[in-house]
Amino acid sequence: MNSSNPLVSGIISDARQKADEILSAARNEAAAIIAEAEEKARKGEEAEKRSLDIRLEQISLRKESARKSMDRLSELRSLDSAYNEVMEEVSSRLESEIRTPGFRAVLISWIAEAAIGLDKKEAKVSFSDKTPVTADMLSEAEAEVKRLTGSEVRLVEDPARLISGGVCVSSMDGKVSYNNQLDVRMRRFQRDIKRIIQEENARENSR
């Protein structure tokens, strides 16, 4: 609508200009709001992606850790099984060996070893019915101690009997002893046997 009145025309012109300024400012504000919202959305998406990546990495690490734990558990079970099998075989062979005449010399050496370890002038020797010890064997063990150390020891039979095969040499008062029973000697070699099994297992896995 046009007016010939200069005052009215000026008012209308100013109003239109003001309206344009308001509209422009509104558009700019709207654009800024949209841009800010988009930036927040982008950052939120990036943060969510990073969080997801971290969670996926944690899951992957846990899976790898669980796999290694399972592998280690399986290896330990395998080693335990191999160890038990070896110890059963050793025990079986020893049980067979003690029935042979040649085991007499083994017992004599065990008595001498125990007497040297005990380091007493007199000692008593206990044994089981599986591995009987005679007076002659005690004399031979005394001679073996003399030969190896130059020291003399008197060995006597202990009336107490052992349950498992082998011997046990004790002081006369029974306060100290050196145990050379079969099961005790086997336990002394547990660490060496386990190490051999582990080394053999490692060689098999590296092939």
Side-chain angles (χ1 to χ4, degrees):
M1 175 178 178
N2 295 325
S3 175
S4 58
N5 188 325
L7 180 59
V8 173
S9 296
I11 293 172
I12 292 173
S13 178
D14 289 342
R16 287 175 177 171
Q17 183 178 351
K18 191 64 175 177
D20 289 342
E21 290 175 357
I22 292 172
L23 183 59
S24 178
R27 287 171 178 166
N28 291 337
E29 184 177 356
I33 291 172
I34 292 171
E36 182 179 357
E38 290 176 345
E39 179 65 13
K40 285 183 178 179
R42 185 184 65 79
K43 288 182 178 179
E45 184 179 354
E46 290 178 353
E48 183 64 26
K49 185 177 182 301
R50 285 194 300 269
S51 178
L52 179 60
D53 290 342
I54 291 172
R55 288 199 295 271
L56 289 174
E57 179 66 17
Q58 290 173 339
I59 292 171
S60 178
L61 291 173
R62 283 197 293 269
K63 286 176 62 178
E64 180 65 15
S65 177
R67 185 190 64 78
K68 288 181 178 179
S69 295
M70 291 297 293
D71 289 346
R72 180 58 178 163
L73 181 60
S74 176
E75 181 183 1
L76 289 174
R77 285 176 176 169
S78 176
L79 291 174
D80 284 344
S81 176
Y83 171 76
N84 291 334
E85 186 176 341
V86 169
M87 294 303 286
E88 286 175 6
E89 178 65 19
V90 171
S91 178
S92 176
R93 290 191 181 187
L94 282 173
E95 287 294 331
S96 298
E97 185 67 21
I98 63 177
R99 299 185 182 93
T100 65
F103 199 71
R104 179 181 185 277
V106 174
L107 278 177
I108 293 171
S109 69
W110 285 3
I111 295 169
E113 176 190 69
I116 293 171
L118 194 64
D119 194 23
K120 298 289 184 181
K121 295 298 183 183
E122 291 183 314
K124 54 186 179 180
V125 180
S126 56
F127 51 88
S128 77
D129 293 334
K130 289 182 179 180
T131 52
V133 174
T134 65
D136 287 343
M137 293 171 66
L138 294 179
S139 297
E140 290 182 46
E142 291 172 349
E144 182 69 3
V145 172
K146 176 71 172 178
R147 183 183 70 82
L148 293 172
T149 67
S151 300
E152 292 186 357
V153 61
R154 187 175 75 89
L155 299 172
V156 298
E157 180 183 333
D158 187 341
R161 288 291 178 263
L162 303 176
I163 296 175
S164 62
V167 295
C168 182
V169 179
S170 307
S171 60
M172 298 304 291
D173 60 8
K175 290 183 178 180
V176 291
S177 63
Y178 191 107
N179 197 330
N180 257 343
Q181 291 176 260
L182 294 177
D183 55 346
V184 174
R185 290 188 66 86
M186 285 176 60
R187 285 198 297 270
R188 288 176 190 157
F189 292 101
Q190 280 182 342
R191 182 176 298 178
D192 292 333
I193 292 172
K194 287 183 177 180
R195 176 181 54 78
I196 292 170
I197 292 172
Q198 288 173 344
E199 290 174 353
E200 183 62 27
N201 184 69
R203 278 195 294 269
E204 286 294 328
N205 291 336
S206 64
R207 292 176 182 174

